[in-house]
Amino acid sequence: MGQLTGAIQFSGTVGNVTVSKTGQVRLKPQSNKAMYATSATMQRTRENGSEFGRAAKAGKLLRESLRGLLLSASDSTLVARATQKMRYIIGMDDANDRGERVVDKDNALTELLGFNFNAGASIGQSLHAPYGIAQNGADVTLSLASLNPQTDIVAPQGATHFEVVLGVAALNFETGTYAVANVAAPLGAIALNSAAAARSVVASLPAAPGADDVVIGAVGINFYQQLNGKLYPLNNNASNPLAIEFVG
């Protein structure tokens, strides 16, 4: 606020004009926020910022949709890696101008498959038995062939049991919403020293996915240690793989 410093002398700022105590007059410099919003030289920065923000929201949507599984299978770089993946997908959009590009469903279908939520572990390194995933309307089914855990499962030290888990969600990147599938009968923990017969597990979405929805199926393995008849999670996220193995 301007203030009277003498009989005729004035210092301070009035509007866009600043008067110093020595009588110098200059225009008030434009704020960084105003420059960012209006300056032509900041156009690329505004475009990049807009798309980065969109990528961050899409990455958060992906993580939130599988939050239950991520509690036991994730790493400290997940947020950055998910945002980076979404930023790459946004960059593939050739229908919109720079700054307006979005996560296109077709590009998401191509790029999300194989994304690891735990960079230090992978399904391919932990599970050496064939499996398949198929979608039928609102249901996504994971089918596992019979396996010998002693040769088909690579378990961390101290583990006595393992559990193959399936997580399914329908994501709508346009509306920023998702629906999580319910697994009524999980496969359950299996002892590493016993054979496992072929089995399947079904994850059911609340409703059949819409035309703009991207359905993802994440497959993971949780490891446990049995002590006095009870199973305890190893609490070692570095050993539990979780990756997107189905996109539809």
Side-chain angles (χ1 to χ4, degrees):
M1 177 180 291
Q3 61 182 356
L4 189 64
T5 60
I8 58 173
Q9 196 173 32
F10 177 87
S11 67
T13 301
V14 177
N16 291 329
V17 178
T18 298
V19 182
S20 69
K21 292 182 179 181
T22 61
Q24 293 179 324
V25 180
R26 64 180 184 274
L27 291 177
K28 181 182 178 182
Q30 191 176 29
S31 68
N32 291 336
K33 182 178 180 180
M35 287 183 62
Y36 179 83
T38 61
S39 174
T41 61
M42 301 289 286
Q43 179 66 23
R44 295 284 87 84
T45 303
R46 290 194 296 271
E47 293 168 353
N48 291 335
S50 176
E51 293 186 351
F52 180 83
R54 204 169 292 124
K57 289 181 180 179
K60 182 179 180 181
L61 186 72
L62 176 65
R63 301 192 316 272
E64 286 292 327
S65 69
L66 297 174
R67 184 176 181 276
L69 296 183
L70 294 181
L71 293 176
S72 58
S74 60
D75 68 280
S76 60
T77 69
L78 175 59
V79 174
R81 290 189 298 107
T83 300
Q84 183 182 37
K85 171 61 72 173
M86 293 303 178
R87 183 66 185 85
Y88 180 80
I89 294 174
I90 286 175
M92 298 175 64
D93 180 9
D94 57 7
N96 296 292
D97 295 334
R98 281 179 59 103
E100 302 296 329
R101 293 178 295 184
V102 298
V103 176
D104 180 79
K105 177 181 178 179
D106 292 337
N107 295 332
L109 291 174
T110 301
E111 293 298 324
L112 285 180
L113 189 64
F115 180 79
N116 281 313
F117 292 94
N118 193 350
S122 70
I123 291 294
Q125 294 173 337
S126 301
L127 176 61
H128 297 278
Y131 61 90
I133 305 178
Q135 180 184 357
N136 182 14
D139 295 336
V140 175
T141 302
L142 167 66
S143 300
L144 278 170
S146 59
L147 56 85
N148 179 356
Q150 295 182 355
T151 58
D152 295 331
I153 298 294
V154 178
Q157 185 176 6
T160 60
H161 291 70
F162 73 98
E163 179 184 20
V164 178
V165 295
L166 172 67
V168 173
L171 311 179
N172 189 311
F173 292 105
E174 183 177 347
T175 61
T177 58
Y178 65 88
V180 178
N182 176 53
V183 179
L187 291 175
I190 302 171
L192 286 168
N193 60 1
S194 65
R199 60 190 67 194
S200 62
V201 59
V202 180
S204 300
L205 291 163
D212 296 327
D213 291 339
V214 176
V215 177
I216 59 171
V219 178
I221 301 179
N222 293 335
F223 292 101
Y224 303 90
Q225 184 179 76
Q226 188 177 51
L227 183 64
N228 296 330
K230 296 182 179 180
L231 294 177
Y232 296 89
L234 284 186
N235 291 329
N236 184 3
N237 284 1
S239 301
N240 295 337
L242 180 68
I244 297 178
E245 296 292 288
F246 173 85
V247 184

